[in-house]
Amino acid sequence: MPEQSTAVGALQSQQADVVRNIAPDDEETVKGADGQVKAFPAQGESNQLHISLAANAPTRDLEVRRALQAATDRKEINDIALSPSYGVAKSILVHGTPRRPDGSAYLKYDPAKAKRLLGEPGWKAGSDGIRAKNGKRLSFTLYVTPYYQVSQAVVEVLQSQWKMVGVEVRLKSPSMSQYEAEDRQEHRLHPGPALPRRA
């Protein structure tokens, strides 16, 4: 059942006993129909947000990437776009992975720190609040992942959070084939590490 609403309907009508990947918005619907929602984190890496390290990308600047970490309120993302079933990320590895380190100390929400990290190397806020350096706006594109059902909601919260510290994020919602083609092209041209995602 590719449609989430169809799957939840099948569960409610007892045509199905188990449904995977319940959307956060549907969790209360399932519980209200005397269903149970169980979270089973898969061991290994958490979901990640890939940031371009192309030579002309503002995110090539380490201080910009550090600022994005500090400007990310993972609890707010969980409250708005996800649910308690997801938990708040504390590491690049998911809960339950053997020898998983706790990276909480490095993932604290600190917008004042983010502004300082951007201001010190010369990223200054313009009249619209978006920062610029040497005539170039602190702006880049994030892709909405077509196969991750909460991607749109998560990146919209991120877009709002990062705008508060002067970073402009444009969202792009490609089809599955477009996403895979552009993702392969991006990694072929600009391989690099990923910025851990909080969700």
Side-chain angles (χ1 to χ4, degrees), residues 112-127:
K113 177 182 178 182
K115 291 177 181 179
R116 188 182 74 250
L117 288 168
L118 293 171
E120 288 175 352
W123 291 101
K124 300 188 183 303
S127 58

Side-chain angles (χ1 to χ4, degrees), residues 61 118 120-124 131-138:
D61 184 339
L118 293 171
E120 288 175 352
W123 291 101
K124 300 188 183 303
R131 294 173 183 267
K133 180 179 178 181
N134 300 326
K136 183 175 180 179
R137 284 169 69 83
L138 184 43

